[in-house]
Amino acid sequence: RAPGDADKGAAVYAESCARCHGDKGQGRPHDPPLSGQHIKYLQKQFTNMLADTRMHPRLQKILKPLTEGDIENLLAYFSILDD
């Protein structure tokens, strides 16, 4: 499991991610699943988007206002989705 507060991550997910990626991270036709992804992969994608080395304007707009704690909590939440 990833460090962080999964319950707080679930709240951030519900507010910022679920609309596109589904209630439990299962994905939608144009948005990939987040459940089942390796946490290090997701962390790298978040890091790259925040550093503008992976361009994805919609996600960058969503991620930029999040704190490091929010992202850590999101990763903790993603790490328990398949439990």
Side-chain angles (χ1 to χ4, degrees):
R1 295 199 172 173
D5 185 322
D7 290 333
K8 288 181 180 178
V12 173
Y13 181 84
E15 183 177 320
S16 303
C17 313
R19 180 174 161 219
C20 296
H21 292 281
D23 292 338
K24 296 289 182 185
Q26 71 274 19
R28 301 206 190 242
H30 298 289
D31 299 294
L34 298 174
S35 66
Q37 293 285 358
H38 294 279
I39 298 307
K40 287 185 179 187
Y41 170 80
L42 291 173
Q43 187 174 30
K44 180 170 176 49
Q45 300 315 306
F46 289 165
T47 298
N48 289 345
M49 283 183 252
L50 289 168
D52 296 328
T53 57
R54 177 179 176 197
M55 302 306 288
H56 193 303
R58 182 172 47 134
L59 285 178
Q60 288 167 311
K61 183 178 178 182
I62 291 167
L63 290 174
K64 294 266 182 186
L66 299 180
T67 66
E68 285 183 30
D70 290 335
I71 291 174
E72 181 177 86
N73 294 336
L74 270 174
L75 293 169
Y77 176 65
F78 295 144
S79 74
I80 66 163
L81 280 177
D82 290 334
D83 287 358

